[in-house]
Amino acid sequence: MIGVTNLSRHYRMGPTTVKALDSVTFGIQSGEFVSIVGPSGSGKTTLMNILGCLDSPTGGSYILAGEETASLTSDKRAEIRGRRIGFVFQNFNLLPRENSLENVELPMIYQGIPSRVRKERARDMLRKVGLEGRERHVPSELSGGQRQRVAIARALAGDPAIILADEPTGALDTRTGGEIMELFHSLNRDGTTLILVTHDPLIARRARRVIQIQDGKILADVPSGEW
Amino acid sequence: MIGVTNLSRHYRMGPTTVKALDSVTFGIQSGEFVSIVGPSGSGKTTLMNILGCLDSPTGGSYILAGEETASLTSDKRAEIRGRRIGFVFQNFNLLPRENSLENVELPMIYQGIPSRVRKERARDMLRKVGLEGRERHVPSELSGGQRQRVAIARALAGDPAIILADEPTGALDTRTGGEIMELFHSLNRDGTTLILVTHDPLIARRARRVIQIQDGKILADVPSGEW
Ligand SMILES: Nc1ncnc2c1ncn2[C@@H]1O[C@H](COP(=O)(O)OP(=O)(O)OP(=O)(O)O)[C@@H](O)[C@H]1O
Ligand SMILES: Nc1ncnc2c1ncn2[C@@H]1O[C@H](COP(=O)(O)OP(=O)(O)OP(=O)(O)O)[C@@H](O)[C@H]1O
Ligand SMILES: [Mg+2]
Ligand SMILES: [Mg+2]
């Protein structure tokens, strides 16, 4: 389903080049649950942005469901992002003037889902992440962990084939984080591919496989029991 | 140094009132190291914003260094924020068009510190949080954990009497988070008052005292060994 070969992402800053990703290679099958771990600044978000078709590599190849993403039109990439992938961003990226319900509905609007069904699914997903009673709050009227949970609900409400979650429990207490992980696990049991960046070793170990990143390179790619 | 009595913060939303803080009472002495813990949405950031003179309570009193903050002019509150308090925000609040060095210098500009000294201190603090080589990056060119560390460096560079840190290791891997905690600990040993919101029980326990918050109320206020 996902095939990454010699993938690189470089940033030129004057005379220096920052190698955020430096020739990484791996594959992920449909339905897998993979954790991506590594120190701050090691390249995890850079990798997630390329996997989510939000950014293009400067070198190498990314094949998604049989298609080389480099050759896709920007419309086609937008469609993949809208329909196949649910993305939980590290900094949430909520629309500041829309309330929780409207933020969660957004991907489903792009999928052409009718309004009544969208609102019902959005309400349901907000309830599942513990945000009943916060539907009408805009992001500035929510706590940090509540904003994170709106971002999670938004990624899940459209029932995507692949979930890319960039530190989805970073702003949550242990108990709320555990409830979110249960939600992710049940979706994965139903066949959703789950790729999760985390700093929390306890969360990383609950995946079946761990990819360890450092300085833009893959340090290890092992079953979670061996990590 | 800090005396909070029946402190409340309510938000009216149409017919409902959200009691983000509901009559909390406690004192913190100069030089203490206190952790504030509690579930997502329990009122921690709301409390920190009042302690940092960024927000006013709707009820009760907050006495800081002998002065009732409610009676301070807004100039006086700005001066306290600029000179006495170093605040690490949960969502960082960096200036998007300024690079790391400029962001860290900002509080020292308000303190009237000359440019050469500011730059030297800013560079030194960025090095202490592991961001050497990232001085010229603006926030969009930094990872999540790097932005968090710029926010930390900014709070510390002005050598404040009180550090208010709202989940300062939330975006950091265990090792980098540990280095940041060492930095906080050494400042506390030198006499800086440290009030730290955290979701991480391991970090909470390293404080001498833990205040546990739930639904805007204090559930417990105990030595960390008993928590
Ligand atoms: N636009 C950019 N220009 C220059 N350097 C960049 C840019 N974006 C990211 N970087 C650098 O690339 C490296 C990898 O960044 P990335 O955001 O992928 O790290 P990360 O592993 O997600 O870190 P964290 O755990 O802190 O979120 C970092 O060192 C960062 O400074
Ligand atoms: N402007 C506002 N209007 C209405 N409700 C608000 C507003 N700001 C915060 N709240 C509510 O007040 C409660 C406390 O928020 P606060 O940000 O203090 O929580 P927190 O303990 O910091 O949570 P987290 O751990 O998720 O960061 C939350 O339930 C939130 O929805
Ligand atoms: Mg990141
Ligand atoms: Mg908070």
Side-chain angles (χ1 to χ4, degrees):
Chain A
M1 143 145 306
I2 281 178
V4 157
T5 311
N6 295 330
L7 200 74
S8 288
R9 182 64 171 97
H10 293 179
Y11 294 103
R12 279 242 195 76
M13 301 193 71
T16 21
T17 296
V18 175
K19 293 186 179 177
L21 276 184
D22 189 6
S23 200
V24 300
T25 296
F26 61 87
I28 294 178
Q29 313 259 13
S30 180
E32 275 202 67
F33 177 2
V34 184
S35 283
I36 299 180
V37 302
S40 172
S42 56
K44 307 179 297 298
T45 294
T46 304
L47 176 59
M48 294 288 267
N49 287 340
I50 292 171
L51 293 181
C53 294
L54 292 151
D55 187 23
S56 300
T58 38
S61 123
Y62 168 35
I63 295 185
L64 173 64
E67 306 216 51
E68 171 52 67
T69 56
S71 58
L72 295 171
T73 62
S74 79
D75 277 358
K76 185 75 182 141
R77 288 150 68 82
E79 190 199 337
I80 288 174
R81 287 198 305 268
R83 285 172 181 275
R84 313 213 42 181
I85 297 174
F87 205 124
V88 185
F89 296 92
Q90 186 171 10
N91 57 354
F92 318 155
N93 286 349
L94 301 180
L95 297 183
R97 288 198 283 266
E98 313 287 311
N99 64 32
S100 304
L101 204 72
E102 292 160 339
N103 264 289
V104 174
E105 283 189 70
L106 203 65
M108 291 187 276
I109 295 175
Y110 290 135
Q111 291 176 17
I113 292 175
S115 167
R116 196 181 45 76
V117 180
R118 285 200 314 260
K119 290 203 176 341
E120 192 174 319
R121 279 201 209 167
R123 208 158 262 136
D124 185 57
M125 199 51 76
L126 283 169
R127 192 185 45 76
K128 285 197 168 114
V129 300
L131 289 182
E132 218 167 337
R134 292 288 181 272
E135 287 95 350
R136 304 252 167 253
H137 289 230
V138 292
S140 61
E141 297 168 333
L142 293 172
S143 78
Q146 291 169 343
R147 288 173 203 160
Q148 185 157 50
R149 285 181 275 159
V150 174
I152 291 165
R154 179 181 63 185
L156 306 189
D159 194 27
I162 303 169
I163 296 170
L164 296 171
D166 197 344
E167 300 188 34
T169 61
L172 302 175
D173 55 283
T174 313
R175 176 173 175 174
T176 312
E179 292 164 7
I180 293 301
M181 286 312 297
E182 281 314 310
L183 185 48
F184 281 142
H185 276 286
S186 75
L187 291 167
N188 179 243
R189 280 194 296 271
D190 291 346
T192 306
T193 308
L194 177 55
I195 304 168
L196 193 141
V197 167
T198 181
H199 281 313
D200 189 332
L202 295 176
I203 289 185
R205 288 199 179 101
R206 297 181 61 177
R208 242 155 290 136
R209 168 183 170 202
V210 176
I211 295 177
Q212 205 174 338
I213 300 210
Q214 187 158 298
D215 296 324
K217 300 189 183 66
I218 292 183
L219 211 65
D221 183 348
V222 294
S224 59
E226 289 176 33
W227 174 67
Chain B
M1 141 146 307
I2 282 178
V4 157
T5 311
N6 293 329
L7 200 75
S8 288
R9 181 66 170 99
H10 294 180
Y11 294 103
R12 279 243 194 77
M13 301 194 71
T16 21
T17 296
V18 176
K19 293 188 181 178
L21 277 183
D22 188 6
S23 200
V24 300
T25 295
F26 61 87
I28 295 178
Q29 313 257 15
S30 180
E32 274 201 67
F33 176 4
V34 185
S35 284
I36 298 180
V37 302
S40 172
S42 56
K44 308 179 296 297
T45 294
T46 304
L47 175 58
M48 294 287 268
N49 287 340
I50 293 170
L51 293 181
C53 294
L54 293 151
D55 186 24
S56 300
T58 40
S61 122
Y62 169 34
I63 297 184
L64 174 63
E67 305 216 52
E68 170 53 65
T69 56
S71 56
L72 295 172
T73 61
S74 79
D75 277 358
K76 186 75 183 141
R77 287 151 68 84
E79 191 201 335
I80 287 173
R81 286 199 305 271
R83 285 171 182 274
R84 313 211 44 181
I85 296 174
F87 206 124
V88 185
F89 296 92
Q90 184 170 9
N91 57 354
F92 319 155
N93 287 349
L94 301 179
L95 297 182
R97 289 200 281 268
E98 313 287 309
N99 65 32
S100 304
L101 204 71
E102 292 160 338
N103 265 290
V104 174
E105 282 189 71
L106 203 66
M108 291 187 276
I109 294 175
Y110 291 136
Q111 292 176 18
I113 291 175
S115 168
R116 196 181 47 74
V117 180
R118 283 200 316 260
K119 291 204 175 342
E120 193 174 318
R121 279 201 208 168
R123 209 159 262 135
D124 185 57
M125 199 52 76
L126 283 169
R127 192 185 45 76
K128 285 197 168 113
V129 299
L131 288 182
E132 218 165 337
R134 291 288 180 274
E135 287 95 351
R136 305 251 168 253
H137 288 232
V138 293
S140 61
E141 297 168 335
L142 295 171
S143 78
Q146 290 169 342
R147 287 172 203 161
Q148 183 156 53
R149 286 182 275 159
V150 174
I152 292 164
R154 180 181 62 185
L156 306 189
D159 194 25
I162 303 169
I163 296 169
L164 296 171
D166 197 344
E167 299 188 34
T169 61
L172 301 176
D173 55 282
T174 313
R175 175 172 173 177
T176 311
E179 292 164 6
I180 293 301
M181 286 311 297
E182 279 317 309
L183 184 49
F184 281 142
H185 276 285
S186 75
L187 291 167
N188 179 243
R189 280 194 296 271
D190 292 345
T192 307
T193 308
L194 176 55
I195 303 168
L196 192 141
V197 166
T198 182
H199 280 315
D200 188 334
L202 296 175
I203 289 184
R205 286 196 183 104
R206 298 181 61 177
R208 242 154 290 136
R209 169 183 169 203
V210 177
I211 296 176
Q212 206 174 335
I213 299 213
Q214 186 157 299
D215 297 324
K217 299 189 185 64
I218 293 184
L219 211 64
D221 182 350
V222 294
S224 59
E226 290 176 31
W227 173 68

